[in-house]
Amino acid sequence: MLSALANPHRLRIMATLKAEGRSYVSQLARQVGISRPLLHLHLQKLEEAGLVTSQMELSPDGKALNFFAVADFAVELTPDLLVQAAATLSARSE
């Protein structure tokens, strides 16, 4: 979870979804100011970490829209958790 939040784009995505509410990909890409393909990559990482949820819906004109929202989560950050997280670090940066 911490690695998913370590990226500034992902933090901005989370902040935007929390402030503006659920959003579909094209709208969220405009709000955050990144391309849709890059947004998809970051949303996938956030969803894998359990930080966002997605739901496919049909618009009134029949288009499929994938809506994303912030998932309910809580993290208690303790020194022991930091030690565990540090043990998973690699030399490669995301």
Side-chain angles (χ1 to χ4, degrees):
M1 181 182 286
L2 293 178
S3 65
L5 293 172
N7 183 286
H9 288 303
R10 293 185 205 134
L11 281 178
R12 247 182 305 159
I13 292 165
M14 293 292 293
T16 301
L17 285 172
K18 182 63 181 166
E20 303 293 328
R22 71 186 201 116
S23 184
Y24 59 94
V25 172
S26 294
Q27 180 182 32
L28 186 57
R30 286 189 297 272
Q31 290 171 317
V32 177
I34 61 176
S35 69
R36 286 192 321 262
L38 182 58
L39 178 62
H40 272 287
L41 175 90
H42 289 304
L43 286 169
Q44 181 180 7
K45 297 264 187 193
L46 291 169
E47 195 167 22
E48 288 169 0
L51 298 170
V52 299
T53 60
S54 65
Q55 183 175 348
M56 191 68 71
E57 297 179 17
L58 288 179
S59 68
D61 62 354
K63 291 181 184 175
L65 299 174
N66 199 5
F67 281 87
F68 286 86
V70 173
D72 288 332
F73 69 91
V75 177
E76 183 179 346
L77 192 58
T78 65
D80 288 336
L81 181 62
L82 292 177
V83 169
Q84 291 173 10
T88 67
L89 294 175
S90 66
R92 185 178 72 83
S93 175
E94 287 188 47

